[in-house]
Amino acid sequence: MPEKKKIAILGAGNMGGAIAASLAGGEYDLAVTASSAATLDKVREVCPEAVCSLSNAEAAEGADVVILAVKPYVAPEVVREIRMCLKPGVTVVSVVAGLTLSALAEAFAGCGFTPGFARVIPNTAIRNGKSVTFISPSDDMEEDDIETLLSVFSKSGKVFFVAEKDMAACTALSSCGIAFFLRFIRAAVEGAVELGLSPRFATEVAAFTAEGAASLLEGGNHPEAEIDKVTTPGGLTIRGLNELERNGLTAAVVAALKASV
């Protein structure tokens, strides 16, 4: 039986804690850190097999994959703490906003060897196993290491490998996009309440409707093709769609995405 890979998750906040929870079950040897014992207690509740520590260096030692999931202002200190503790062949993954591949390479220069690097951007649906996660690996990363990253992050949702130059656009579409879709649902609920439905019921219906709409695009169907199936000539849906466009829906969404880059 092959030896388990060790995954070190440095920073068990909302994102790091969700990644740890997705890996519970014993497939990997997990080491998880946080800045407080109270946070580590929460990790133990969902991932009892994890080795929890307040020491980033202790967790990173001997790890095959080190995931930096700390706040951006904390990252430089964490890097200084761990960079001499890493083993050759390690992959260092940044979930830290704005920490680029070149910045990672510079930060870990002088550790005696060159780790593999990857930028990873999940979204907040990771806590429900529904994340859209983007991975940009360094050009020299080995195929086995890429497969490991796919295995790790596919447990918490859908994974896409993208060029680093596309990370900002992908973040706007998916990470910021979570909020945009939720705002549309909230607006739909407000309209339904005005029509006489209760907020709780309208929210449940709107959420399931959004889920159903997404399912119609599985297999590569075009959104407009699915819209055509529900817009009968002179019908109610086309009236509503025309009102959305009259009030600038498409222009507002495009502007929001551009503003989020």
Side-chain angles (χ1 to χ4, degrees), residues 60-248:
E61 188 170 0
D64 298 286
V65 178
V66 174
I67 300 173
L68 301 174
V70 296
K71 299 294 185 185
Y73 68 89
V74 178
E77 178 58 34
V78 172
V79 170
R80 284 191 290 270
E81 186 180 348
I82 69 169
R83 69 182 202 161
M84 302 310 294
C85 304
L86 302 179
K87 75 173 187 178
V90 66
T91 299
V92 178
V93 174
S94 169
V95 187
V96 181
L99 190 54
T100 63
L101 292 175
S102 61
L104 280 171
E106 182 178 348
F108 284 92
C111 70
F113 63 93
T114 302
F117 298 112
R119 288 184 67 190
V120 174
I121 304 294
N123 65 26
T124 55
I126 190 172
R127 66 175 183 259
N128 293 329
K130 296 290 186 179
S131 177
V132 174
T133 299
F134 302 102
I135 300 178
S136 289
S138 53
D139 292 337
D140 58 352
M141 186 173 289
E142 298 289 340
E143 191 64 34
D144 286 350
D145 296 327
I146 290 176
E147 287 298 320
T148 296
L149 294 182
L150 177 61
S151 174
V152 167
F153 288 100
S154 63
K155 296 184 186 305
S156 52
K158 182 74 172 177
V159 173
F160 295 95
F161 285 89
V162 300
E164 188 178 21
K165 68 179 180 61
D166 294 327
M167 268 295 192
C170 289
T171 299
L173 179 60
S174 184
S175 298
C176 303
I178 283 278
F180 302 156
F181 283 108
L182 289 173
R183 181 58 63 87
F184 182 91
I185 289 173
R186 191 192 77 173
V189 169
E190 290 177 351
V193 170
E194 190 171 331
L195 292 172
L197 299 182
S198 73
R200 186 183 184 93
F201 176 71
T203 300
E204 183 177 7
V205 170
F208 274 105
T209 302
E211 184 177 346
S215 74
L216 295 176
L217 303 182
E218 293 176 2
N221 293 346
H222 194 283
E224 206 61 37
E226 295 301 327
I227 289 172
D228 286 345
K229 294 174 184 177
V230 74
T231 49
T232 55
L236 302 177
T237 304
I238 191 61
R239 295 181 198 174
L241 287 169
N242 287 340
E243 282 300 314
L244 286 174
E245 292 307 321
R246 190 174 291 117
N247 285 279

